Amino acid sequence: MDNESDAELKKCMVFNAIVDNKYRSEIPDIVEMLVNSCSGRKCFEHLDSAIIPSRESLISIIDLIKDILFPGYFGDQTVDRSSLPYHIGNEIAQLFEELSKQITNSIIHDCNRYEQNCAECVDRGQEETIRFMKKLPDIRSQLASDIIAAYEGDPAAKSHDEIIFSYPGIFALMVYRAAHELHEQGISILPRIMSEHAHNLVGIDIHPGARIGKGLFIDHGTGVVIGETCEIGDNVRIYQGVTLGSLSFPKDERGELIRGEKRHPTIEDDVIIYSNATILGGRTVVGARSVIGGNVWLTKSVPPDTKVIIEEPRLIFKEKR
Amino acid sequence: MDNESDAELKKCMVFNAIVDNKYRSEIPDIVEMLVNSCSGRKCFEHLDSAIIPSRESLISIIDLIKDILFPGYFGDQTVDRSSLPYHIGNEIAQLFEELSKQITNSIIHDCNRYEQNCAECVDRGQEETIRFMKKLPDIRSQLASDIIAAYEGDPAAKSHDEIIFSYPGIFALMVYRAAHELHEQGISILPRIMSEHAHNLVGIDIHPGARIGKGLFIDHGTGVVIGETCEIGDNVRIYQGVTLGSLSFPKDERGELIRGEKRHPTIEDDVIIYSNATILGGRTVVGARSVIGGNVWLTKSVPPDTKVIIEEPRLIFKEKR
Amino acid sequence: MDNESDAELKKCMVFNAIVDNKYRSEIPDIVEMLVNSCSGRKCFEHLDSAIIPSRESLISIIDLIKDILFPGYFGDQTVDRSSLPYHIGNEIAQLFEELSKQITNSIIHDCNRYEQNCAECVDRGQEETIRFMKKLPDIRSQLASDIIAAYEGDPAAKSHDEIIFSYPGIFALMVYRAAHELHEQGISILPRIMSEHAHNLVGIDIHPGARIGKGLFIDHGTGVVIGETCEIGDNVRIYQGVTLGSLSFPKDERGELIRGEKRHPTIEDDVIIYSNATILGGRTVVGARSVIGGNVWLTKSVPPDTKVIIEEPRLIFKEKR
């Protein structure tokens, strides 16, 4: 650190107050160790740079989007049709304030990283927010197709309402479809924090870069992974634990990691993939109307109308105890 | 919308305040688009109808139940035996207030949906709450059998205490056993929101409709799915990623989805199911004392005392690099 | 309960206030039932004993550790280098206050359980806290190796920053590496609550007792289980749904559960384990540079440089509909 003694002084000021017993008296040395030991690849700091969009604000943004897309389903008061414009209006105004701030943070963060001129950042932040909000009706109708697919795909669903307020797959798709639009607008950081928030909540990990058609039904969903360069057609059904990932056995790699190329599979229309199936590789295509059985490990393409299953398990009859 | 110009007027009033720059000035059109574009199957609204039980209140209800069933384990002060009646008494009183409100919401929500007379709803809400609270001692002793099963089934468990305050399976079973009783009482919505809350927290998805005997041990649990019509006997052990689901390959379906019939397997007493095994189908019965190996995909019944395993994996020896 | 009538009296006092309708009037009996029905193995109470470290305080402790190890990445204001000593200093001081309280609770809890003399508990709580805080620089550099491994192992990672603020595996490893040090210091309870908190948030279940080398990359991570007696070498890569667990088919058990012996596998350096693979058993060793394919179920050792995969799945071509 450039100005050692200065920092020493500061630490003294900080600790005069709290240093009052034999253990607390060791604290300043620990602080100094932490401040001064960070060098090279031994640790990571994020100093003197723009703040990263906070997860807390992201959560309230996602709640606002949820209320706007599904008016009356969440929150603790009835929404009546006559006051709907007030309701949506207030929430859209809030969304603009909060989202434009976070989008601006993301833009400034990139600006600093690449030492670009940041004069336009705030302006662009608001512009991108408006662009995003104009897509909300489309996002809403895509989600409607997902809800209908869930109702038609799950005998346990008693109503469309139940799906909207309790199905984790719908929540994950709502966050994905919003994050994907921001990702398409070239906003960095923010979409990934959004998708990780959904991942934390419902255990479904959909990268904002994936391309997903309408009417996707993810049932139960815990452990589902949909990679950055996946392409999924319309009316696909996916169960818990399914991975659509990249294939990277050492021999398949040519030294350096290449970032950005298609590494994840393509799933055509009307495919069903049962629980814990794993489908890997950027050249792997699962043809339309195919059914992938549970616990399958697939790294090659299959033609349309194929059923892929693992061998029957072996039965062993135990001697009675 | 019935009264267009009226709504226009309202929006103006709402936005005069906030419209103060070139981007904000676009907000009213976005609101109008959102308010007016929702029609047919393009989106879902929940207007002019009873509110849905809120997840926030559900969380405090679940915390109350946790404290009542396991006095002294949670919360930040010691509970001594002499004050136990106070402690339980206050929490039961709170539980009655909060739970009866949410049960009433669920009942009113159904009333509205089916346009029934709702005069009795509040009364019935309180009645059902009392009925539920009278079952708490039974729920507590069922959970005791689960805790004992966990201690006897897991060498990593150092004490019964550790299981109670840190095992996700016990939390999931506590929420399930409470939600199941409400489900049996014919309360809708609420039990599903409860089970989804547990699913979010610990990744274990148990439908309130499932029937589960005593002494179930769910170890680790992430990704476990236990479907609506499952029947599980006594002293069963289940590991992470296990699915007890429905079998619905296209050919097995006769056009329409039939809701309510038994679609999920029956697991008899003393069965062990290892991680990531998948057992599907309403006619599938796993006989008593059977052991289902990890990553097995089972869609047929097996007799008692059977061990079911997949083939040994293939070994390939890589050429040294 | 020793003093029945006394408790009766108390309950009356408690309920005079709230008993005001036909349903509420049933509450006292429910309370009495709950207070008096708890006996033998029918339920668990934690009365007259030390409080258990609260999860709420644990969460703020973990947030403090996160900010100290990764200054400037989280929180809502820029941290500049010149004020870093203030920033770290204040957080270390807070960490000392909160962590020493919780460590002391854990120590007192054990004291009571084993009826030891507890005179030294508070003193020892502070001593162990200082001991732990002195390890923070080492924990930070171990995490740096994990972050570098993630960047080198995942083409989807755009920067080291993205990994730090959005990768669940890094969060789980941060909590593990901190909890492991406390576990090594002989602190009970606290480390398990920490690991379960991480498990709840990101679905990755790493027991604080496991031994993990540097440069571990856990990608996606949902459903990963790393057992108490696992040993993992350097530069290992693990994908979602992987279990490193104990093998306990009934026939392998000799009556009683033995606690503490090595029950979980050893993974040598540079091994890759793909999604949903399950590796079990304390004598199972996966040799260096081996690759375990997805959905493999492995209960035997494999030599170095081995590739282990399951059979190709079967393809069935459906008759066109």
Side-chain angles (χ1 to χ4, degrees):
Chain A
M1 195 162 63
D2 44 13
N3 197 330
E4 198 68 50
S5 57
D6 178 35
E8 282 313 307
L9 183 65
K10 283 176 181 153
K11 282 211 297 299
C12 296
M13 288 154 54
V14 172
F15 289 108
N16 282 342
I18 63 166
V19 176
D20 61 5
N21 77 5
K22 60 176 173 169
Y23 296 117
R24 283 186 179 74
S25 65
E26 300 200 43
I27 287 180
D29 293 344
I30 294 172
V31 175
E32 182 168 6
M33 200 162 57
L34 279 162
V35 171
N36 299 336
S37 68
C38 183
S39 62
R41 306 189 102 197
K42 295 224 321 306
C43 81
F44 289 92
E45 296 175 319
H46 192 260
L47 304 178
D48 304 316
S49 55
I51 60 173
I52 286 164
S54 83
R55 181 165 288 209
E56 289 59 37
S57 61
L58 248 300
I59 291 171
S60 65
I61 285 168
I62 287 169
D63 285 343
L64 279 168
I65 292 173
K66 198 169 68 171
D67 284 347
I68 290 164
L69 295 176
F70 300 110
Y73 278 98
F74 306 98
D76 50 14
Q77 62 192 43
T78 299
V79 177
D80 53 279
R81 182 163 300 288
S82 62
S83 68
L84 187 60
Y86 284 122
H87 185 76
I88 300 280
N90 288 322
E91 288 184 318
I92 282 286
Q94 277 183 58
L95 180 61
F96 178 81
E97 300 310 320
E98 297 203 30
L99 183 56
S100 60
K101 203 180 302 154
Q102 298 306 324
I103 288 178
T104 304
N105 285 343
S106 304
I107 292 169
I108 291 172
H109 191 268
D110 282 6
C111 260
N112 292 13
R113 169 179 309 284
Y114 306 116
E115 279 131 12
Q116 295 159 339
N117 164 19
C118 219
E120 305 290 294
C121 284
V122 174
D123 205 55
R124 206 190 131 215
Q126 299 199 343
E127 187 183 351
E128 295 294 349
T129 304
I130 292 293
R131 183 173 295 154
F132 169 77
M133 295 199 307
K134 284 177 174 170
K135 295 170 177 167
L136 286 171
D138 291 343
I139 292 173
R140 186 173 57 177
S141 65
Q142 288 171 318
L143 286 167
S145 72
D146 300 326
I147 292 158
I148 290 159
Y151 187 72
E152 291 173 352
D154 181 10
K158 303 289 178 294
S159 68
H160 293 96
D161 289 352
E162 180 186 345
I163 290 162
I164 291 166
F165 58 67
S166 76
Y167 274 40
I170 292 302
F171 178 79
L173 282 166
M174 184 196 76
V175 175
Y176 156 74
R177 294 198 183 277
H180 177 68
E181 293 303 332
L182 292 168
H183 177 273
E184 292 292 289
Q185 290 174 226
I187 310 300
S188 69
I189 305 177
L190 201 59
R192 284 288 291 125
I193 298 179
M194 289 171 74
S195 59
E196 266 317 315
H197 171 64
H199 184 194
N200 286 355
L201 276 189
V202 296
I204 299 172
D205 185 356
I206 310 179
H207 196 288
R211 308 191 159 283
I212 298 180
K214 53 185 173 56
L216 176 61
F217 175 34
I218 301 173
D219 200 2
H220 307 295
T222 307
V224 164
V225 173
I226 299 177
E228 183 182 17
T229 63
C230 268
E231 289 173 24
I232 298 178
D234 295 342
N235 305 313
V236 168
R237 200 167 11 152
I238 291 177
Y239 287 88
Q240 63 276 12
V242 165
T243 294
L244 306 178
S246 64
L247 182 67
S248 53
F249 283 91
K251 54 165 54 172
D252 293 1
E253 284 168 12
R254 287 156 192 73
E256 269 298 286
L257 278 188
I258 305 132
R259 297 175 198 271
E261 74 168 4
K262 188 169 190 302
R263 306 179 310 280
H264 304 91
T266 297
I267 311 298
E268 295 183 348
D269 298 348
D270 305 303
V271 166
I272 299 175
I273 308 173
Y274 281 94
S275 53
N276 298 322
T278 305
I279 305 175
L280 304 181
R283 287 191 221 79
T284 304
V285 178
V286 176
R289 297 172 304 280
S290 290
V291 175
I292 311 301
N295 296 63
V296 162
W297 166 260
L298 185 68
T299 60
K300 296 195 185 64
S301 294
V302 297
D305 299 291
T306 313
K307 187 161 145 185
V308 182
I309 56 176
I310 60 176
E311 296 301 317
E312 298 275 313
R314 203 143 46 85
L315 302 192
I316 298 166
F317 296 91
K318 299 187 286 187
E319 65 290 349
K320 292 271 180 301
R321 299 199 203 77
Chain B
M1 195 161 65
D2 44 14
N3 196 332
E4 198 66 52
S5 57
D6 178 37
E8 282 313 304
L9 183 64
K10 283 176 182 151
K11 282 211 299 298
C12 296
M13 290 154 53
V14 173
F15 289 108
N16 282 342
I18 62 166
V19 177
D20 62 2
N21 77 5
K22 60 176 172 168
Y23 297 116
R24 284 186 179 76
S25 66
E26 301 200 42
I27 287 180
D29 293 343
I30 293 171
V31 175
E32 181 167 7
M33 199 163 56
L34 279 161
V35 171
N36 298 337
S37 69
C38 184
S39 62
R41 306 189 102 197
K42 295 225 321 307
C43 80
F44 289 91
E45 295 175 317
H46 193 261
L47 303 180
D48 305 315
S49 55
I51 61 173
I52 286 163
S54 85
R55 180 165 288 210
E56 289 60 36
S57 61
L58 249 299
I59 291 170
S60 65
I61 285 168
I62 288 169
D63 285 343
L64 279 168
I65 292 173
K66 198 169 67 171
D67 284 349
I68 290 164
L69 295 176
F70 300 110
Y73 278 98
F74 305 98
D76 50 14
Q77 61 194 41
T78 299
V79 178
D80 53 280
R81 183 164 300 288
S82 61
S83 67
L84 188 60
Y86 285 120
H87 185 76
I88 300 280
N90 288 321
E91 287 183 318
I92 283 285
Q94 277 183 57
L95 179 62
F96 179 80
E97 300 311 318
E98 297 202 33
L99 183 56
S100 60
K101 203 181 302 154
Q102 298 306 324
I103 288 178
T104 303
N105 285 344
S106 304
I107 292 169
I108 291 171
H109 191 268
D110 282 6
C111 261
N112 291 13
R113 170 180 309 286
Y114 306 115
E115 279 131 10
Q116 295 158 338
N117 163 20
C118 219
E120 306 289 294
C121 284
V122 174
D123 205 56
R124 209 190 129 216
Q126 299 199 343
E127 188 183 350
E128 296 293 350
T129 304
I130 291 293
R131 182 173 296 156
F132 169 78
M133 296 200 305
K134 285 177 173 170
K135 295 169 177 169
L136 286 172
D138 290 345
I139 292 173
R140 186 174 56 176
S141 64
Q142 288 170 318
L143 286 168
S145 72
D146 300 326
I147 291 158
I148 291 159
Y151 187 73
E152 291 172 354
D154 182 11
K158 302 289 177 294
S159 67
H160 293 96
D161 288 353
E162 180 186 345
I163 290 162
I164 291 165
F165 59 67
S166 76
Y167 274 39
I170 292 302
F171 179 80
L173 282 166
M174 183 195 76
V175 174
Y176 156 76
R177 294 198 184 277
H180 177 67
E181 293 302 333
L182 291 169
H183 177 272
E184 292 293 289
Q185 290 173 230
I187 310 300
S188 70
I189 304 178
L190 200 59
R192 283 288 290 125
I193 298 179
M194 289 171 75
S195 59
E196 265 318 315
H197 171 64
H199 185 194
N200 286 355
L201 276 189
V202 297
I204 299 172
D205 184 356
I206 310 177
H207 195 289
R211 310 191 158 280
I212 298 179
K214 55 185 173 54
L216 176 61
F217 175 35
I218 301 174
D219 200 2
H220 307 295
T222 308
V224 164
V225 173
I226 299 176
E228 183 182 18
T229 63
C230 269
E231 290 173 23
I232 298 178
D234 296 342
N235 305 314
V236 168
R237 200 162 26 152
I238 291 177
Y239 288 88
Q240 63 276 11
V242 165
T243 293
L244 306 178
S246 64
L247 181 66
S248 52
F249 283 91
K251 54 166 53 170
D252 293 1
E253 283 168 14
R254 286 154 193 74
E256 269 298 287
L257 279 188
I258 305 132
R259 298 175 197 270
E261 74 168 4
K262 187 167 190 300
R263 306 180 309 281
H264 304 93
T266 296
I267 311 298
E268 295 183 348
D269 298 348
D270 305 303
V271 167
I272 299 174
I273 308 173
Y274 281 94
S275 54
N276 297 322
T278 305
I279 305 175
L280 304 182
R283 285 189 224 81
T284 304
V285 178
V286 176
R289 298 171 303 281
S290 290
V291 175
I292 310 301
N295 296 64
V296 162
W297 165 261
L298 185 67
T299 60
K300 296 196 185 64
S301 293
V302 297
D305 299 292
T306 313
K307 187 162 146 185
V308 182
I309 57 176
I310 59 176
E311 297 300 316
E312 299 276 312
R314 205 142 46 84
L315 302 192
I316 298 166
F317 295 91
K318 299 187 287 185
E319 65 291 348
K320 292 270 179 302
R321 298 197 204 80
Chain C
M1 196 161 66
D2 43 15
N3 195 331
E4 197 67 50
S5 57
D6 179 36
E8 283 312 306
L9 183 64
K10 283 174 182 154
K11 283 211 297 299
C12 297
M13 288 153 55
V14 173
F15 289 108
N16 283 341
I18 62 166
V19 177
D20 60 5
N21 77 5
K22 60 176 173 170
Y23 296 116
R24 284 187 179 74
S25 65
E26 300 200 42
I27 287 179
D29 293 343
I30 293 172
V31 175
E32 181 168 6
M33 201 162 56
L34 279 162
V35 171
N36 299 337
S37 68
C38 184
S39 63
R41 305 188 105 199
K42 295 223 322 307
C43 80
F44 289 92
E45 295 175 317
H46 192 261
L47 304 179
D48 305 315
S49 54
I51 61 173
I52 287 164
S54 84
R55 181 165 288 208
E56 289 59 37
S57 61
L58 248 300
I59 290 170
S60 66
I61 286 167
I62 288 169
D63 285 343
L64 280 168
I65 292 173
K66 197 168 68 170
D67 283 348
I68 291 164
L69 295 176
F70 300 109
Y73 278 97
F74 305 98
D76 51 12
Q77 62 193 41
T78 298
V79 178
D80 53 279
R81 184 164 298 289
S82 62
S83 68
L84 188 60
Y86 284 122
H87 184 76
I88 300 280
N90 288 323
E91 287 183 319
I92 282 286
Q94 278 182 57
L95 180 61
F96 178 79
E97 299 311 319
E98 297 202 31
L99 184 55
S100 60
K101 204 180 301 154
Q102 298 306 324
I103 288 178
T104 304
N105 285 344
S106 304
I107 292 169
I108 291 172
H109 191 269
D110 282 6
C111 262
N112 291 14
R113 170 181 308 286
Y114 306 115
E115 279 130 12
Q116 297 158 338
N117 163 19
C118 220
E120 305 290 293
C121 284
V122 173
D123 205 56
R124 204 186 135 221
Q126 299 197 344
E127 187 183 352
E128 296 293 350
T129 304
I130 292 292
R131 182 172 296 154
F132 169 77
M133 296 200 305
K134 285 177 173 170
K135 296 171 177 166
L136 286 172
D138 290 345
I139 292 173
R140 187 175 55 176
S141 64
Q142 288 170 318
L143 287 168
S145 72
D146 300 327
I147 291 157
I148 291 159
Y151 187 73
E152 291 173 353
D154 182 10
K158 302 291 178 294
S159 68
H160 293 96
D161 289 353
E162 180 186 346
I163 290 162
I164 291 166
F165 57 68
S166 75
Y167 274 39
I170 292 302
F171 178 79
L173 282 166
M174 184 195 76
V175 174
Y176 157 75
R177 294 198 183 277
H180 177 67
E181 293 303 332
L182 292 169
H183 178 273
E184 292 293 289
Q185 290 173 228
I187 311 300
S188 69
I189 305 178
L190 200 59
R192 284 288 290 125
I193 298 179
M194 289 171 74
S195 59
E196 265 319 313
H197 172 65
H199 184 194
N200 286 356
L201 275 188
V202 297
I204 299 172
D205 185 356
I206 310 178
H207 195 289
R211 310 190 158 282
I212 299 179
K214 54 184 174 55
L216 176 61
F217 175 34
I218 302 173
D219 200 2
H220 307 296
T222 308
V224 165
V225 173
I226 299 177
E228 182 182 19
T229 63
C230 268
E231 289 172 24
I232 298 178
D234 295 341
N235 305 313
V236 168
R237 202 172 3 155
I238 290 177
Y239 288 87
Q240 63 276 12
V242 165
T243 293
L244 306 178
S246 64
L247 181 66
S248 52
F249 284 90
K251 53 163 55 168
D252 293 1
E253 284 169 13
R254 287 155 194 71
E256 270 299 285
L257 278 189
I258 305 130
R259 297 175 198 270
E261 73 168 4
K262 187 168 190 302
R263 306 179 309 281
H264 305 92
T266 297
I267 311 299
E268 295 182 349
D269 298 347
D270 304 303
V271 166
I272 300 174
I273 308 173
Y274 281 93
S275 53
N276 298 322
T278 304
I279 304 175
L280 304 182
R283 286 190 223 80
T284 303
V285 178
V286 176
R289 299 172 303 282
S290 290
V291 175
I292 311 301
N295 297 62
V296 161
W297 165 259
L298 185 68
T299 60
K300 296 195 185 65
S301 294
V302 297
D305 300 292
T306 313
K307 187 161 143 185
V308 182
I309 57 175
I310 59 176
E311 297 301 315
E312 299 275 314
R314 205 142 44 85
L315 302 193
I316 298 165
F317 296 91
K318 298 188 287 188
E319 65 290 349
K320 293 270 179 302
R321 300 198 203 80

